Amino acid sequence: MAILSNRLSKEQFEKNFSDIHPPFETKDAALVEANRCLFCYDAPCMKSCPTSIDVPKFIKQITTDNVKGSAHTILSSNIMGAGCSKVCPVEKLCEGACVYNLMDEDPIPIAKLQRYSTEMAMQKKWLLFKRKESKGKKVAVVGAGPAGLSCAHVLSREGIDVTVYEKEKQGGGLMTYGIAAYKVSPQFCEDEVNYILSIGGITIKYEQELGKNIQLSDLKKDYDAVYMAIGVGLARKLEIPGEQLEGVVDAISFIYEIRNSGFNKVAVGDKVVVIGMGMTAIDAATQAKRLGASEVTMLYRRTQEEMPCTEVELNIAKLDGCEIVWLAAPKEIKGADGKVNEMVVEKMKLGEPDASGRRSPVATGETFTLNVDMVIKAAGQMPYQELVAANQLENNGGKLKVSNNQTNLKGVFAGGDCVNGGKEVVDAVQAGKDGAVEILKFLNV
Amino acid sequence: MADISSIFLGIKSPNPFWLASAPPTDKKINVLRAFEAGWGGVVWKTLGSQVKNVSSRYSAVNYGGHKVMGFNNIELISDRPLAINLKEIEECIKLFPDRAMIVSLMADNNKESWHDLIKKVEDTGAHGFELNFGCPHGMTERGMGAAVGQDPEIAKMVVEWVMEKATIPVITKLTPNVHSVVPTGKAVVEAGTNALSLINTIQSVTGVDLDTLVPNPYVDGKSVFGGYCGPAVKPIALKMLTTIAQNEVTNKVPVSGIGGVSTWKDAVEFMLLGASNVQVCTAAMKHGFRIVEDMCEGLNNWMDEKGYNKLEDFIGKSVQNIVHWEDLDINYHHIANINQDKCIHCGLCYIACEDTSHQSINLDFGKPYNTYSIKEEECVGCNLCQLVCPVSDCITMVENRIAPEHVNWIEYQKRGLPLNDH
């Protein structure tokens, strides 16, 4: 048992991390599915999309050989429509609402069709949006993730000059750094950011971190408005003994490393335990397995009923051979020579519903022990509490408080994960749009 | 098991499905394959004076992802030497004596040419003729095909020439490229034709290539009007067939129904509206001859289910159900009903009614599923919602008579009953 990199051959890595949802091979294949669409009125799929993409319209446009119009329909509602087509949990959004489900038929593969149109737009570099003449107003956006880019794009369309400050070397935020590599490739993320920027009027300054090399007070002075889209980033601690041992990592860092290094460079344990059952937990568990871990066990305090990930995601983990243990919470991590070698797990049972409305896990006192050499923590992410407090931003446990997308500081707006605590990419895109609308009102343009 | 064998003008075939005069019946190899597949008979592709064909020849209309909903062609009559055609016809008859062999003819516009052609074809042992008065392209410019069928006087004259000479039954095929098929139909019946067949193809342009700006089908940068057929023309064919079945002159002779027949159901519809048998082309050109298997089995099962023992038991049964508008019952009324258990909330009924009909459907907003229900007092019973609903039997039309008495328009006016009551 050891934490090792380079467990598999180059070919195995390539196979394990290839696109999990491949695109349509041909136009004809896309048309077969596009033609199945009933073109619903006030469509349930559209109403289930946080960015309200007019799904029936964009699918109809594929069938009429108007793919450019189709891409415009998608991207005018969701500028990250290409990325969302790969990472959205569509089974609980648009595809989950497709009326074909009510006929016990397969829903329209909306994401795959969305990918068809948007990827073509990106490949052919269609300029679908025209920026209005500059209004002479400047807005700073902090964070080049989905919320920040979405906000910046809407503002630029309206003639605002936008500067985006990003602490990483690339844009895209969690799309680039926090999602399983078999869903989106780093190259795709880079291409998508460049495509969004092709409208012009948006400058991104990389490796600029709020509170370090840039200060909110300066941004407020130098710009007509500021949009905070700083996301969440800190992994929630388990608060159990042994958390400091070598071999205990957080899922975000683990996934970040996979995104930044070659697959053969990322070290993974032989027997890995993942704590949590959200989308990030799944991405960490499946990728640990795909990097060559021989056993991956996922622990969740509650049952499948309450799990945050979708069943489709759970099935990916199961098909990858991950072991799932329900009603199990980490109690203690034990080690030898400073390295993890065991985890004590407490069996749970369900009690009364908690604040989230889900039945809360209650300790039973009964425990069992797992032999592990790596622990990946994916029990949620924490907002940047200290950072926001230091900038006198009103917050709720680190989550920014906003009213009409504006913080307590005049001219400082916020949206996305840093406000809602962490939702889907598509929710962040919508937040960016909403924020831009309020900023435009504020700027009186 | 019902008996689906057919006798048309004394010509026997094991089923009422013939292949229409067209490319599938142009050569021995095709016809033998058709007979092996089970087709009841063929109408051999039109023989006449020697012609030359062009390339390309066909084009199609696709709809909603389905290919060849409508089909058109600019092919002329058989471009093979007459002698080869005659030899092959004779061979086919010998190999499959139980199948109908009709030969389509289009001679030059003089009596001698027709008589000469009739004689040569009769020598093959063919069972009957079909006179091609319908071909809408190419031949018309030479005064043949539809040019004959569009003029009752010329059609009558040609049929008279044919009847002087022919010793086997003669079917006259009518063109739909007229205001009504009845005048020519009457003229040729009066001239002695033994039967009619309809429809031939409809002059058409299936589309224009948006890159080259050349309409279809493409012949070196140009196109011509082609003859339209396939499923798209069935409703037109059924209407024209009905007018022949309802005319007291034309309904004295049997009719072979043609025009978009693709399935046994289409065939039954043609027969219910007066056709004694049907001819098929486009469906076979799209799928091959194997479609005849289900046509036979489906017809048989339907007849068994309905208690019909032979084709004559149902041929023409629906003719009387198409009447003049004035004869319809104004007191008849039905209104739509949405089965909420079957509804999938697609909203197609609502938007169709709201935008284009009578605003008779309620929408109760829901996320993500709206609920739709009928405003019964507003519904005029037009059927639109039912037609667009993607779920079978979800929307049904429920009878809700205005009054028990049958009152037609003439009677309605006579009594001075109210107009515009909604």
Side-chain angles (χ1 to χ4, degrees):
Chain A
M1 293 226 310
I3 298 184
L4 293 173
S5 58
N6 206 17
R7 286 177 177 268
L8 305 174
S9 69
K10 188 166 172 281
E11 291 72 28
Q12 281 171 313
F13 280 129
E14 268 172 23
K15 184 165 171 277
N16 288 354
F17 288 91
S18 66
D19 206 335
I20 193 166
H21 300 300
F24 286 113
E25 292 277 340
T26 62
K27 174 184 167 182
D28 289 328
L31 283 176
V32 167
E33 290 298 334
N35 277 312
R36 281 180 66 224
C37 176
L38 295 171
F39 200 49
C40 293
Y41 171 73
D42 194 33
C45 50
M46 178 176 174
K47 288 155 91 174
S48 301
C49 173
T51 60
S52 305
I53 293 174
D54 191 339
V55 175
K57 181 178 172 186
F58 96 69
I59 293 177
K60 183 89 171 168
Q61 289 174 307
I62 293 173
T63 70
T64 70
D65 270 340
N66 181 12
V67 180
K68 192 181 271 185
S70 174
H72 181 265
T73 300
I74 296 162
L75 298 172
S76 58
S77 286
N78 180 345
I79 196 62
M80 294 195 104
C84 283
S85 75
K86 296 161 181 259
V87 306
C88 260
V90 289
E91 57 277 10
K92 68 174 184 186
L93 299 172
C94 54
E95 291 184 17
C98 176
V99 299
Y100 274 120
N101 292 300
L102 305 175
M103 294 169 88
D104 288 326
E105 282 295 314
D106 288 340
I108 301 297
I110 297 168
K112 203 169 174 182
L113 289 164
Q114 182 167 316
R115 176 172 177 174
Y116 177 78
S117 296
T118 53
E119 279 199 342
M120 194 178 292
M122 282 172 59
Q123 276 158 16
K124 298 190 188 262
K125 298 189 164 58
W126 285 331
L127 293 174
L128 300 172
F129 301 96
K130 196 168 184 299
R131 172 176 151 81
K132 287 183 186 164
E133 212 168 293
S134 174
K135 299 268 179 21
K137 300 270 188 186
K138 297 191 300 178
V139 172
V141 172
V142 186
L149 288 174
S150 160
C151 180
H153 194 265
V154 175
L155 291 174
S156 179
R157 277 162 74 179
E158 295 302 320
I160 307 298
D161 303 319
V162 185
T163 306
V164 184
Y165 293 90
E166 168 56 48
K167 71 174 183 197
E168 299 292 342
K169 291 193 185 87
Q170 285 186 349
L174 282 187
M175 182 78 100
T176 302
Y177 291 104
I179 284 173
Y182 52 74
K183 291 183 188 163
V184 279
S185 68
Q187 186 59 51
F188 169 82
C189 293
E190 194 180 332
D191 291 347
E192 183 172 45
V193 171
N194 289 334
Y195 186 59
I196 294 168
L197 298 181
S198 65
I199 187 171
I202 306 170
T203 308
I204 303 195
K205 297 192 170 176
Y206 292 105
E207 297 183 272
Q208 303 290 311
E209 189 169 349
L210 189 67
K212 292 194 175 155
N213 34 12
I214 50 166
Q215 301 302 330
L216 185 56
S217 51
D218 294 334
L219 297 179
K220 278 178 65 187
K221 228 180 310 163
D222 298 342
Y223 292 89
D224 298 303
V226 178
Y227 185 69
M228 302 276 290
I230 58 176
V232 288
L234 308 172
R236 192 184 300 278
K237 287 196 168 169
L238 300 175
E239 309 290 359
I240 56 170
E243 202 165 348
Q244 77 295 342
L245 287 167
E246 192 184 325
V248 181
V249 299
D250 71 78
I252 291 293
S253 312
F254 178 65
I255 294 169
Y256 180 93
E257 206 191 334
I258 297 170
R259 304 302 305 232
N260 271 309
S261 324
F263 298 122
N264 60 340
K265 304 259 169 43
V266 184
V268 68
D270 195 42
K271 294 185 171 182
V272 179
V273 64
V274 177
I275 315 300
M277 199 53 76
M279 296 295 212
T280 303
I282 300 284
D283 283 358
T286 53
Q287 293 194 111
K289 198 83 175 114
R290 286 163 191 243
L291 284 171
S294 60
E295 283 177 24
V296 174
T297 307
M298 299 186 73
L299 302 185
Y300 184 52
R301 298 184 297 162
R302 313 185 208 224
T303 68
Q304 188 165 346
E305 279 289 291
E306 294 83 22
M307 70 177 181
C309 73
T310 65
E311 203 174 322
V312 171
E313 291 285 321
L314 177 67
N315 287 339
I316 298 174
K318 284 182 175 171
L319 285 170
D320 277 2
C322 300
E323 193 72 31
I324 316 287
V325 186
W326 306 108
L327 291 167
K331 191 175 171 67
E332 185 182 354
I333 305 167
K334 292 183 175 173
D337 306 326
K339 294 181 182 173
V340 173
N341 68 0
E342 267 185 3
M343 172 171 270
V344 182
V345 182
E346 179 155 27
K347 290 189 180 176
M348 311 298 276
K349 64 180 183 186
L350 288 180
E352 294 301 307
D354 63 12
S356 71
R358 297 174 300 173
R359 293 183 67 187
S360 60
V362 178
T364 61
E366 203 180 325
T367 62
F368 61 94
T369 302
L370 293 174
N371 270 332
V372 298
D373 54 8
M374 188 179 195
V375 177
I376 302 178
K377 301 183 286 183
Q381 287 163 259
M382 305 282 284
Y384 295 105
Q385 195 161 4
E386 280 177 29
L387 178 66
V388 300
N391 282 292
Q392 285 78 49
L393 288 159
E394 278 182 14
N395 63 86
N396 181 5
K399 291 192 281 187
L400 291 171
K401 279 191 183 173
V402 292
S403 167
N404 288 335
N405 301 281
Q406 192 165 195
T407 66
N408 58 305
L409 303 179
K410 196 177 174 211
V412 178
F413 295 77
D417 284 359
C418 67
V419 170
N420 65 34
K423 285 173 126 180
E424 307 299 338
V425 171
V426 65
D427 294 295
V429 172
Q430 184 58 32
K433 284 162 62 187
D434 294 341
V437 169
E438 294 301 325
I439 291 170
L440 290 168
K441 277 191 215 162
F442 174 77
L443 297 177
N444 229 342
V445 290
Chain B
M1 284 276 277
D3 176 8
I4 64 166
S5 67
S6 162
I7 302 178
F8 189 94
L9 296 176
I11 303 162
K12 290 180 186 168
S13 51
N15 59 55
F17 307 122
W18 292 358
L19 284 167
S21 166
T25 60
D26 189 29
K27 299 191 295 292
K28 177 179 168 185
I29 183 170
N30 301 87
V31 170
L32 291 184
R33 286 179 68 83
F35 286 160
E36 279 160 14
W39 287 86
V42 300
V43 182
W44 196 276
K45 186 168 162 99
T46 308
L47 307 182
S49 54
Q50 191 65 51
V51 297
K52 182 88 188 132
N53 272 305
V54 292
S55 171
S56 59
R57 301 179 190 181
Y58 308 141
S59 67
V61 171
N62 305 326
Y63 184 77
H66 287 275
K67 303 276 275 184
V68 196
M69 188 196 75
F71 184 70
N72 97 349
N73 82 89
I74 58 168
E75 195 172 283
L76 305 181
I77 62 172
S78 177
D79 56 11
R80 307 168 77 221
L82 181 63
I84 292 178
N85 275 312
L86 296 173
K87 178 171 165 283
E88 290 190 1
I89 289 167
E90 195 171 347
E91 287 165 1
C92 289
I93 294 168
K94 285 200 178 111
L95 286 165
F96 284 90
D98 64 329
R99 311 301 169 91
M101 173 62 77
I102 312 300
V103 178
S104 174
L105 304 181
M106 190 196 290
D108 289 350
N109 245 348
N110 61 74
K111 197 197 265 192
E112 293 66 39
S113 297
W114 280 98
H115 283 191
D116 182 47
L117 192 56
I118 287 166
K119 170 77 178 68
K120 284 176 177 158
V121 175
E122 283 196 356
D123 288 346
T124 64
H127 305 121
F129 293 122
E130 185 181 77
L131 311 183
N132 182 343
F133 289 177
C135 181
H137 47 261
M139 305 311 291
T140 51
E141 289 149 26
R142 307 175 194 195
M144 293 181 268
V148 176
Q150 284 165 338
D151 187 328
E153 285 304 309
I154 298 175
K156 187 174 182 181
M157 177 180 75
V158 175
V159 171
E160 281 167 355
W161 295 341
V162 170
M163 300 318 293
E164 279 172 23
K165 181 76 178 172
T167 64
I168 56 176
V170 174
I171 306 164
T172 302
K173 185 169 179 177
L174 299 177
T175 175
N177 297 299
V178 287
H179 169 64
S180 165
V181 289
V182 172
T184 301
K186 277 169 70 178
V188 298
V189 169
E190 282 160 3
T193 189
N194 305 111
L196 295 170
S197 61
L198 77 164
I199 58 174
N200 206 309
T201 57
I202 303 170
Q203 278 202 318
S204 61
V205 178
T206 53
V208 181
D209 184 307
L210 298 187
D211 294 319
T212 64
L213 310 189
V214 178
N216 310 321
Y218 177 99
V219 184
D220 191 29
K222 301 291 175 197
S223 189
V224 292
F225 300 148
Y228 198 47
C229 54
V233 311
K234 188 186 92 173
I236 300 165
L238 287 176
K239 180 264 175 182
M240 291 181 159
L241 169 66
T242 304
T243 62
I244 290 293
Q246 292 185 333
N247 180 278
E248 58 189 20
V249 176
T250 51
N251 70 10
K252 296 296 183 290
V253 298
V255 181
S256 183
I258 312 166
V261 178
S262 306
T263 68
W264 66 268
K265 285 172 116 171
D266 298 329
V268 169
E269 288 168 13
F270 272 80
M271 293 167 87
L272 286 168
L273 286 172
S276 293
N277 73 5
V278 294
Q279 297 183 29
V280 178
C281 175
T282 308
M285 289 184 76
K286 185 176 175 194
H287 301 293
F289 295 135
R290 60 204 163 119
I291 57 168
V292 75
E293 294 166 22
D294 182 62
M295 295 182 88
C296 291
E297 291 166 23
L299 172 63
N300 217 311
N301 288 338
W302 177 79
M303 286 174 66
D304 283 347
E305 208 170 284
K306 300 294 174 189
Y308 299 123
N309 296 319
K310 53 190 193 305
L311 302 178
E312 289 70 25
D313 291 351
F314 68 90
I315 287 170
K317 271 201 175 268
S318 297
V319 174
Q320 59 173 356
N321 292 334
I322 293 185
V323 295
H324 289 116
W325 194 92
E326 288 84 359
D327 299 324
L328 295 173
D329 180 10
I330 292 193
N331 276 342
Y332 178 78
H333 188 60
H334 65 197
I335 51 181
N337 178 66
I338 300 173
N339 181 335
Q340 296 297 338
D341 293 336
K342 290 190 172 183
C343 177
I344 59 168
H345 316 282
C346 65
L348 295 179
C349 59
Y350 171 82
I351 197 59
C353 187
E354 194 69 12
D355 276 359
T356 70
S357 206
H358 293 84
Q359 297 76 44
S360 308
I361 299 180
N362 278 310
L363 186 165
D364 293 319
F365 280 100
K367 195 168 182 346
Y369 301 118
N370 299 338
T371 303
Y372 301 97
S373 54
I374 302 294
K375 296 180 202 166
E376 295 187 356
E377 68 287 0
E378 299 290 334
C379 177
V380 302
C382 73
N383 295 342
L384 181 62
C385 57
Q386 185 195 36
L387 296 173
V388 300
C389 178
V391 181
S392 303
D393 305 324
C394 174
I395 297 183
T396 46
M397 305 306 294
V398 181
E399 188 169 319
N400 185 24
R401 292 188 65 87
I402 294 162
E405 191 189 1
H406 182 291
V407 177
N408 67 24
W409 173 238
I410 295 156
E411 181 64 21
Y412 200 84
Q413 280 183 305
K414 212 184 278 172
R415 294 189 199 175
L417 291 168
L419 299 170
N420 299 324
D421 57 349
H422 63 271

